Amino acid sequence: MAIVTVVCNATPLINFAAINRLDILQAMFGQVVIPQAVYNETTGSSLPGSQSVQEAIASGWLQVRTVSAIVPEILAELDDGEREAIALILEISEQRILLDEREARQVAQRLGLQVIGTLGILLLAKDNGVILHVQPLLDAMINIAQYWVAATLYQQVLRQAGELTE
């Protein structure tokens, strides 16, 4: 798989780090870049997986970059990590951004970016043979990272993964 640089916001990073599966992000995207605000959000000592984030940075495939400017099209209502992640992807002229929060996704899509969330990453990873099953990883994210997924969306994702037993 070709090395593609993506910018990642805090939620997907926390979800994969909390279950010790940052390797999925590395396998799927090769080079992942986070802005300083996301680094700050994901490396607090009380966060599950903060050590994994530090290790990924030390190994080089996860990089922290400082954002030079936030363009006016990026809403002030977004949190610092979301604003910086969107600004950073525009600065480095890439297209793919890893975001979960609805408002941030809408802003990114309006700016012409390709948005992938935690659930999309899991489905892509299964489609590409990086993981065998979505459900155990998604369940772990829900239990360990307190990742909230609506029941209907949960079922839709498992159905799309071919894992829904009805």
Side-chain angles (χ1 to χ4, degrees):
M1 190 172 294
I3 300 289
V4 178
T5 298
V6 296
V7 172
C8 188
N9 187 37
T11 304
L13 196 62
I14 290 168
N15 286 335
F16 285 94
I19 64 167
N20 293 311
R21 291 305 309 266
L22 282 177
D23 62 292
I24 294 170
L25 294 181
Q26 183 181 17
M28 292 305 303
F29 305 110
Q31 188 66 57
V32 179
V33 179
I34 60 173
Q36 187 65 46
V38 169
Y39 173 82
N40 297 345
E41 282 181 54
T42 57
T43 55
S45 58
S46 63
L47 283 173
S50 62
Q51 186 62 41
S52 298
V53 173
Q54 297 282 11
E55 290 166 7
I57 292 166
S59 72
W61 67 266
L62 181 64
Q63 294 183 357
V64 182
R65 299 226 189 127
T66 304
V67 174
S68 58
I70 308 277
V71 296
E73 294 82 10
I74 301 173
L75 300 176
E77 296 82 46
L78 301 181
D79 76 22
D80 289 346
E82 294 160 355
R83 279 199 320 276
E84 285 193 15
I86 294 169
L88 183 58
I89 195 155
L90 295 172
E91 274 183 30
I92 65 172
S93 301
E94 291 290 345
Q95 288 297 307
R96 296 169 87 176
I97 187 165
L98 311 181
L99 282 169
D100 280 326
E101 295 74 19
R102 183 179 15 209
E103 296 84 3
R105 291 171 69 95
Q106 290 169 345
V107 170
Q109 287 166 338
R110 275 198 304 270
L111 292 168
L113 301 172
Q114 182 184 357
V115 180
I116 307 166
T118 296
L119 301 175
I121 296 165
L122 288 170
L123 290 169
L124 273 175
K126 183 172 182 180
D127 289 348
N128 285 281
V130 173
I131 62 173
L132 295 175
H133 303 286
V134 168
Q135 186 169 10
L137 299 175
L138 181 52
D139 288 348
M141 288 175 180
I142 290 167
N143 294 325
I144 298 166
Q146 270 77 62
Y147 182 50
W148 186 86
V149 180
T152 53
L153 183 57
Y154 179 87
Q155 291 177 336
Q156 179 186 336
V157 167
L158 294 185
R159 192 173 296 114
Q160 198 171 336
E163 298 177 26
L164 191 64
T165 52
E166 298 185 53

